[in-house]
Amino acid sequence: MRHQEIERHPRRWFASIANKASQAAGRASAFVMACAVIVIWAVTGPLFQFSDTWQLVINTGTTIVTFLMVFLIQNSQNRDSAAIQVKLDELIRTGSVQNSFVGIEHLSADELEELRARCEERAKAVAAERRGSGGRRPSRSRDDAGG
């Protein structure tokens, strides 16, 4: 059944292929293989008299691999970011913090920077308060949670 689902949905098919390819590309064996290709290419230089064609082979090969890897990496990163965002949203939703943090990834860069600065200020204030109270944890206020 799983195989049929993948065949019916091109997006799932691509996600499956991208996931497998990015996992394979991230293995040590893939790095060793890439190094081996470079060494073989370099060793064959004298055989081909370091010709333009010899150089073109490695340039073309690395360009194609790089081009394809950009899409695989971006796909994996997009899925990972979305999954992390959902997990964080769920933790915020079910936790004791303010739900106002859910969806902040949709804010502009300036709004996010302002929110980050406010959070850092509150964190410094809480740390200073803890140092002043002998390490006891202060009670949570509404402002500590981001509201």
Side-chain angles (χ1 to χ4, degrees):
M1 180 69 179
R2 175 87 175 124
H3 182 69
Q4 291 172 345
E5 276 183 30
I6 292 172
E7 285 180 352
R8 280 189 235 155
H9 300 289
R11 289 177 124 181
R12 286 187 183 165
W13 176 80
F14 177 73
S16 175
I17 298 295
N19 189 36
K20 288 175 185 170
S22 64
Q23 289 204 1
R27 295 180 192 268
S29 57
F31 178 75
V32 169
M33 189 170 70
C35 289
V37 167
I38 298 300
V39 168
I40 291 167
W41 170 78
V43 168
T44 61
L47 179 67
F48 293 103
Q49 300 164 353
F50 301 100
S51 68
D52 288 344
T53 303
W54 173 79
Q55 292 178 33
L56 189 61
V57 166
I58 198 69
N59 287 337
T60 303
T62 56
T63 300
I64 290 169
V65 169
T66 302
F67 179 76
L68 295 174
M69 288 305 294
V70 165
F71 295 102
L72 294 176
I73 291 167
Q74 188 63 52
N75 179 271
S76 294
Q77 188 173 359
N78 288 349
R79 283 185 290 112
D80 289 348
S81 288
I84 289 170
Q85 192 61 54
V86 170
K87 290 174 184 179
L88 288 173
D89 287 351
E90 183 63 10
L91 287 171
I92 292 168
R93 188 186 66 75
T94 61
S96 61
V97 297
Q98 285 288 327
N99 286 339
S100 62
F101 279 109
V102 172
I104 66 170
E105 68 277 7
H106 302 294
L107 297 176
S108 70
D110 291 338
E111 291 168 324
L112 282 172
E113 180 58 29
E114 181 181 323
L115 184 59
R116 186 197 58 77
R118 284 197 326 239
C119 286
E120 283 183 359
E121 288 172 16
R122 285 194 299 271
K124 287 177 186 175
V126 167
E129 189 175 326
R130 284 182 184 163
R131 282 192 302 273
S133 65
R136 289 176 300 167
R137 189 173 192 164
S139 62
R140 277 180 74 87
S141 69
R142 185 180 187 295
D143 191 50
D144 287 342

PDB file of all heavy atoms in Angstrom, residues 1-10 12:
ATOM      1  N   MET A   1       0.823  -1.195   0.000  1.00  0.00           N
ATOM      2  CA  MET A   1       0.000   0.000   0.000  1.00  0.00           C
ATOM      3  C   MET A   1       0.867   1.260   0.000  1.00  0.00           C
ATOM      4  O   MET A   1       0.579   2.207  -0.682  1.00  0.00           O
ATOM      5  CB  MET A   1      -0.932  -0.043   1.230  1.00  0.00           C
ATOM      6  CG  MET A   1      -1.851   1.140   1.343  1.00  0.00           C
ATOM      7  SD  MET A   1      -3.062   1.084   0.026  1.00  0.00           S
ATOM      8  CE  MET A   1      -3.989   2.528   0.396  1.00  0.00           C
ATOM      9  N   ARG A   2       1.933   1.250   0.756  1.00  0.00           N
ATOM     10  CA  ARG A   2       2.809   2.422   0.851  1.00  0.00           C
ATOM     11  C   ARG A   2       3.393   2.755  -0.522  1.00  0.00           C
ATOM     12  O   ARG A   2       3.464   3.917  -0.898  1.00  0.00           O
ATOM     13  CB  ARG A   2       3.920   2.134   1.865  1.00  0.00           C
ATOM     14  CG  ARG A   2       4.962   3.212   1.961  1.00  0.00           C
ATOM     15  CD  ARG A   2       4.549   4.271   2.933  1.00  0.00           C
ATOM     16  NE  ARG A   2       5.639   5.212   3.072  1.00  0.00           N
ATOM     17  CZ  ARG A   2       5.505   6.498   2.867  1.00  0.00           C
ATOM     18  NH1 ARG A   2       4.360   7.017   2.580  1.00  0.00           N
ATOM     19  NH2 ARG A   2       6.534   7.293   2.997  1.00  0.00           N
ATOM     20  N   HIS A   3       3.803   1.744  -1.251  1.00  0.00           N
ATOM     21  CA  HIS A   3       4.374   1.958  -2.579  1.00  0.00           C
ATOM     22  C   HIS A   3       3.351   2.615  -3.502  1.00  0.00           C
ATOM     23  O   HIS A   3       3.682   3.497  -4.280  1.00  0.00           O
ATOM     24  CB  HIS A   3       4.872   0.631  -3.147  1.00  0.00           C
ATOM     25  CG  HIS A   3       5.525   0.760  -4.484  1.00  0.00           C
ATOM     26  ND1 HIS A   3       6.736   1.380  -4.637  1.00  0.00           N
ATOM     27  CD2 HIS A   3       5.129   0.368  -5.716  1.00  0.00           C
ATOM     28  CE1 HIS A   3       7.062   1.364  -5.916  1.00  0.00           C
ATOM     29  NE2 HIS A   3       6.104   0.739  -6.585  1.00  0.00           N
ATOM     30  N   GLN A   4       2.092   2.187  -3.427  1.00  0.00           N
ATOM     31  CA  GLN A   4       1.040   2.758  -4.256  1.00  0.00           C
ATOM     32  C   GLN A   4       0.794   4.218  -3.899  1.00  0.00           C
ATOM     33  O   GLN A   4       0.555   5.043  -4.780  1.00  0.00           O
ATOM     34  CB  GLN A   4      -0.253   1.957  -4.111  1.00  0.00           C
ATOM     35  CG  GLN A   4      -0.172   0.580  -4.719  1.00  0.00           C
ATOM     36  CD  GLN A   4      -1.393  -0.253  -4.389  1.00  0.00           C
ATOM     37  OE1 GLN A   4      -2.164   0.083  -3.499  1.00  0.00           O
ATOM     38  NE2 GLN A   4      -1.551  -1.353  -5.112  1.00  0.00           N
ATOM     39  N   GLU A   5       0.855   4.561  -2.595  1.00  0.00           N
ATOM     40  CA  GLU A   5       0.668   5.952  -2.176  1.00  0.00           C
ATOM     41  C   GLU A   5       1.731   6.839  -2.804  1.00  0.00           C
ATOM     42  O   GLU A   5       1.430   7.917  -3.292  1.00  0.00           O
ATOM     43  CB  GLU A   5       0.773   6.079  -0.656  1.00  0.00           C
ATOM     44  CG  GLU A   5      -0.484   5.778   0.093  1.00  0.00           C
ATOM     45  CD  GLU A   5      -0.285   5.993   1.584  1.00  0.00           C
ATOM     46  OE1 GLU A   5       0.535   6.843   1.975  1.00  0.00           O
ATOM     47  OE2 GLU A   5      -0.959   5.291   2.344  1.00  0.00           O
ATOM     48  N   ILE A   6       2.975   6.382  -2.779  1.00  0.00           N
ATOM     49  CA  ILE A   6       4.073   7.169  -3.322  1.00  0.00           C
ATOM     50  C   ILE A   6       3.896   7.361  -4.819  1.00  0.00           C
ATOM     51  O   ILE A   6       4.104   8.443  -5.346  1.00  0.00           O
ATOM     52  CB  ILE A   6       5.435   6.507  -2.997  1.00  0.00           C
ATOM     53  CG1 ILE A   6       5.688   6.599  -1.489  1.00  0.00           C
ATOM     54  CG2 ILE A   6       6.562   7.156  -3.770  1.00  0.00           C
ATOM     55  CD1 ILE A   6       6.901   5.825  -1.029  1.00  0.00           C
ATOM     56  N   GLU A   7       3.483   6.303  -5.524  1.00  0.00           N
ATOM     57  CA  GLU A   7       3.297   6.406  -6.969  1.00  0.00           C
ATOM     58  C   GLU A   7       2.180   7.379  -7.327  1.00  0.00           C
ATOM     59  O   GLU A   7       2.244   8.065  -8.328  1.00  0.00           O
ATOM     60  CB  GLU A   7       2.982   5.031  -7.557  1.00  0.00           C
ATOM     61  CG  GLU A   7       4.194   4.138  -7.650  1.00  0.00           C
ATOM     62  CD  GLU A   7       3.863   2.775  -8.230  1.00  0.00           C
ATOM     63  OE1 GLU A   7       2.666   2.474  -8.424  1.00  0.00           O
ATOM     64  OE2 GLU A   7       4.795   2.017  -8.486  1.00  0.00           O
ATOM     65  N   ARG A   8       1.128   7.458  -6.498  1.00  0.00           N
ATOM     66  CA  ARG A   8      -0.015   8.315  -6.803  1.00  0.00           C
ATOM     67  C   ARG A   8       0.273   9.789  -6.565  1.00  0.00           C
ATOM     68  O   ARG A   8      -0.377  10.640  -7.144  1.00  0.00           O
ATOM     69  CB  ARG A   8      -1.220   7.908  -5.957  1.00  0.00           C
ATOM     70  CG  ARG A   8      -1.933   6.716  -6.512  1.00  0.00           C
ATOM     71  CD  ARG A   8      -3.217   6.499  -5.785  1.00  0.00           C
ATOM     72  NE  ARG A   8      -3.185   5.135  -5.283  1.00  0.00           N
ATOM     73  CZ  ARG A   8      -3.846   4.694  -4.250  1.00  0.00           C
ATOM     74  NH1 ARG A   8      -4.599   5.505  -3.568  1.00  0.00           N
ATOM     75  NH2 ARG A   8      -3.772   3.464  -3.881  1.00  0.00           N
ATOM     76  N   HIS A   9       1.195  10.086  -5.721  1.00  0.00           N
ATOM     77  CA  HIS A   9       1.446  11.472  -5.352  1.00  0.00           C
ATOM     78  C   HIS A   9       2.874  11.871  -5.708  1.00  0.00           C
ATOM     79  O   HIS A   9       3.812  11.498  -5.013  1.00  0.00           O
ATOM     80  CB  HIS A   9       1.209  11.683  -3.852  1.00  0.00           C
ATOM     81  CG  HIS A   9      -0.184  11.354  -3.427  1.00  0.00           C
ATOM     82  ND1 HIS A   9      -1.258  12.142  -3.767  1.00  0.00           N
ATOM     83  CD2 HIS A   9      -0.674  10.329  -2.700  1.00  0.00           C
ATOM     84  CE1 HIS A   9      -2.354  11.612  -3.265  1.00  0.00           C
ATOM     85  NE2 HIS A   9      -2.029  10.506  -2.618  1.00  0.00           N
ATOM     86  N   PRO A  10       3.045  12.648  -6.783  1.00  0.00           N
ATOM     87  CA  PRO A  10       4.395  13.044  -7.190  1.00  0.00           C
ATOM     88  C   PRO A  10       5.154  13.778  -6.078  1.00  0.00           C
ATOM     89  O   PRO A  10       6.360  13.621  -5.954  1.00  0.00           O
ATOM     90  CB  PRO A  10       4.163  13.977  -8.373  1.00  0.00           C
ATOM     91  CG  PRO A  10       2.825  13.598  -8.901  1.00  0.00           C
ATOM     92  CD  PRO A  10       2.036  13.124  -7.716  1.00  0.00           C
ATOM     93  N   ARG A  12       4.933  13.234  -2.840  1.00  0.00           N
ATOM     94  CA  ARG A  12       5.423  12.216  -1.902  1.00  0.00           C
ATOM     95  C   ARG A  12       6.575  11.441  -2.525  1.00  0.00           C
ATOM     96  O   ARG A  12       7.517  11.084  -1.841  1.00  0.00           O
ATOM     97  CB  ARG A  12       4.305  11.261  -1.501  1.00  0.00           C
ATOM     98  CG  ARG A  12       3.330  11.889  -0.550  1.00  0.00           C
ATOM     99  CD  ARG A  12       2.360  10.878  -0.043  1.00  0.00           C
ATOM    100  NE  ARG A  12       1.381  11.524   0.809  1.00  0.00           N
ATOM    101  CZ  ARG A  12       0.249  10.985   1.171  1.00  0.00           C
ATOM    102  NH1 ARG A  12      -0.061   9.773   0.754  1.00  0.00           N
ATOM    103  NH2 ARG A  12      -0.585  11.633   1.945  1.00  0.00           N
TER     104      ARG A  12
END
